[in-house]
Amino acid sequence: MTNAGARPQGPIGKVLVIIPTYNEADNVEPIVRRVRKAVPEAHILVADDNSPDGTGKLADELAAADDRVHVLHRKGKEGLGAAYLAGFAWGKDNGYDVLVEMDADGSHQPEELPRLLTALGNADLVLGSRWVPGGRVVNWPKSREFLSRGGSAYCRAFLGVSVRDVTGGYRAFRTHTLEALDLAEVASQGYCFQVDLAHRAVRQGFQVVEVPITFVERERGDSKMSKDIVFEALWRVPAWGVTSRVNRLLGRRHN
């Protein structure tokens, strides 16, 4: 899928891995170390929401010891979507060609990042997918798997997208893709933020590719999943679907 806003794929250029954190003191050093080992040429941005457990201070220490590690200190906890949007802006301002989303807790394995970056050679956006052949989850109860699979099916039904894992958060964007997605209009948070960006990319005709990943449930710290995140998706996704259908009927593009 291509459009006038898409560019020919090819060499991916400078890579920035954005890792949002809030109370991830136990996880920030291991995840940074693993990313640096898996993709030594990549840079890392820890976007910390003023964690009271000292995550930001630990990230500063990592950055002081490694010029490929950077820290973005934010004023407070504003949600995953806001943290990524701030990270995207930082990456764009500092000249990165690829911006990667990655959780701090190790559920997104850095050792699989080379696979995403390789696939980006022929794509505008690569999604790490649990629900394509070869993808899987580890240490999840069946109820959590049902919720995730059902959430993606719910989104596909309302939005008319073919993406199998539309809620997943392990992603590699070409910066030009993000620049075309009207990020100033994005207000969604949590997993709904991931749905929003994937839907926008598909709707605008960008080449979106899914590659299989193994998602490993966190071993340390607390999950950020909440009922509010689920409820947000329940009302936002149908609203986006209706808006898209109305715009198509009216002959409007990409709105």
Side-chain angles (χ1 to χ4, degrees):
M1 295 178 291
T2 59
N3 75 340
R7 300 178 186 175
Q9 289 83 41
I12 63 174
K14 291 176 59 180
V15 176
L16 179 69
V17 180
I18 303 168
I19 304 176
T21 56
Y22 184 78
N23 286 349
E24 297 287 359
D26 292 336
N27 294 314
V28 65
E29 188 278 331
I31 197 68
V32 167
R33 173 169 35 84
R34 289 172 64 188
V35 173
R36 292 289 289 116
K37 183 177 180 181
V39 189
E41 66 275 16
H43 286 229
I44 298 166
L45 177 66
V46 177
D48 185 65
D49 277 8
N50 196 24
S51 299
D53 72 345
T55 300
K57 182 176 183 296
L58 291 173
D60 283 336
E61 293 171 0
L62 295 171
D66 186 341
D67 62 6
R68 289 181 181 262
V69 179
H70 315 276
V71 185
L72 177 62
H73 292 282
R74 291 163 39 75
K75 293 182 179 180
K77 189 177 182 182
E78 298 178 349
L80 183 69
Y84 273 130
L85 290 174
F88 293 158
W90 191 96
K92 177 184 173 183
D93 289 345
N94 285 277
Y96 290 92
D97 305 293
V98 172
L99 303 174
V100 176
E101 297 182 1
M102 180 183 291
D103 285 352
D105 59 15
S107 56
H108 299 150
Q109 298 186 85
E111 295 76 17
E112 296 185 315
L113 180 55
R115 187 186 310 154
L116 274 69
L117 296 178
T118 297
L120 197 62
N122 293 300
D124 300 296
L125 165 60
V126 174
L127 309 178
S129 179
R130 298 159 291 186
W131 312 132
V132 296
R136 66 190 187 105
V137 296
V138 176
N139 296 330
W140 262 18
K142 286 296 182 182
S143 59
R144 179 82 181 274
E145 181 174 342
F146 176 80
L147 178 63
S148 181
R149 286 184 181 273
S152 282
Y154 180 82
C155 294
R156 287 196 301 273
F158 276 105
L159 301 178
V161 298
S162 60
V163 175
R164 302 303 302 174
D165 192 354
V166 71
T167 65
Y170 197 5
R171 303 179 168 194
F173 293 86
R174 288 181 182 267
T175 300
H176 74 76
T177 306
L178 286 167
E179 291 173 341
L181 298 187
D182 300 322
L183 296 182
E185 298 179 3
V186 174
S188 48
Q189 292 295 326
Y191 298 100
C192 203
F193 174 80
Q194 309 296 5
V195 177
D196 193 353
L197 294 195
H199 179 224
R200 287 169 184 258
V202 170
R203 188 179 64 196
Q204 294 201 30
F206 284 108
Q207 183 69 26
V208 179
V209 173
E210 294 186 85
V211 299
I213 61 167
T214 297
F215 183 98
V216 181
E217 180 67 353
R218 68 159 62 227
E219 295 180 355
R220 298 181 295 271
D222 297 322
S223 172
K224 306 304 188 291
M225 183 62 138
S226 69
K227 291 181 179 179
D228 289 344
I229 290 172
V230 176
F231 290 149
E232 181 188 27
L234 287 175
W235 71 265
R236 282 195 187 274
V237 169
W240 292 333
V242 169
T243 299
S244 292
R245 286 168 172 78
V246 169
N247 285 333
R248 283 198 295 270
L249 288 171
L250 296 176
R252 300 171 183 168
R253 295 186 64 196
H254 314 322
N255 291 312

